[in-house]
Amino acid sequence: MIRADRKQRILVVDDMPANIKILGQAIRGRHEVSVATNGRQALNLAFNDPPDLILLDILMPDMDGYETCRRLKDDSRTKDIPIIFVTSKDELEDETLGLELGAVDYITKPFHLPIVLARINTHLRLKLQSDLLEELAKIDALTEIPNRRQFEERLAFEWQRSQRGGHPIGLIMIDIDEFKKYNDFYGHAQGDECLKAVAHCLAREIPRSQDLVARYGGEEFVLVLPDTDVDGTVAVGRRLCQAVDAMNLPHEKSSVVDHVTISVGAAAAIAVAGQSSTELLLLADECLYRAKEGGRNTVWSMVGGPHKDAPP
Ligand SMILES: [Mg+2]
């Protein structure tokens, strides 16, 4: 989660140590600073741990600032980092090219330090605002847990990682049992409270920080469990089922028991080339369907065909 009060980090790239020294000294204290003396080093640093802003020299041996900027803008990890060119190239064409490449600002040397600092502050403030908006866009407004968009991004990321490393991914789909009857009987305001309570319960129960629980839509939730095989996924599913059961939220109209319960579909796979994560999602959804058909308040998984777990 992004914190509005965290210290932002600036990467200063210049082949002249004297320039780095002047800028570094002026910025340090207010912001964190990392430095690179050539384009390749800058790319390595930025890809591995993206900074909030890059001050980029243009005239450097081997890879110049324009090329470094192009590569940063071409990579999904770094394309949104604001870049300010700080350069002795003061022709209008130079500045135009720099801005066309996607830089947010262009400062010519010899620079006046207070102006550089003021511009840095403006771009850092904008960066923080866009980071916060980006973060908000991935949170479900009602339950305040990750939304479907964040789930889809994470699943795509983990699917690629599974393909490279051969680790399994566990996927769980969850549906609140007979939620329509709950809404009809208790009203929508109470229905919203129920969704929140279940969401927070699921979020509390996920075992590890790398696991993700998200609201998929309506009364459906979904979990991504990296490095987890089908047995591990079923075990998590059972724990979630038991945890929601144990909240003992009254549900007078439920045909299952007298309180709120969930049905859980659990699937896992190792991603192979040519296969998409949608197949895993469909498999988990099929298991969820069977859990509902099989009496609800339970976990179903598919290992060489459907099997029902003992009720929690
Ligand atoms: Mg230079």
Side-chain angles (χ1 to χ4, degrees), residues 261-280:
T261 56
I262 55 172
S263 295
V264 179
I270 295 171
V272 289
Q275 206 181 30
S276 93
S277 59
T278 311
E279 289 172 51
L280 180 59

Side-chain angles (χ1 to χ4, degrees), residues 14-16 57-60 109:
D14 200 305
D15 61 327
M16 302 289 281
D57 183 24
I58 292 178
L59 293 174
M60 296 187 289
K109 295 174 193 168

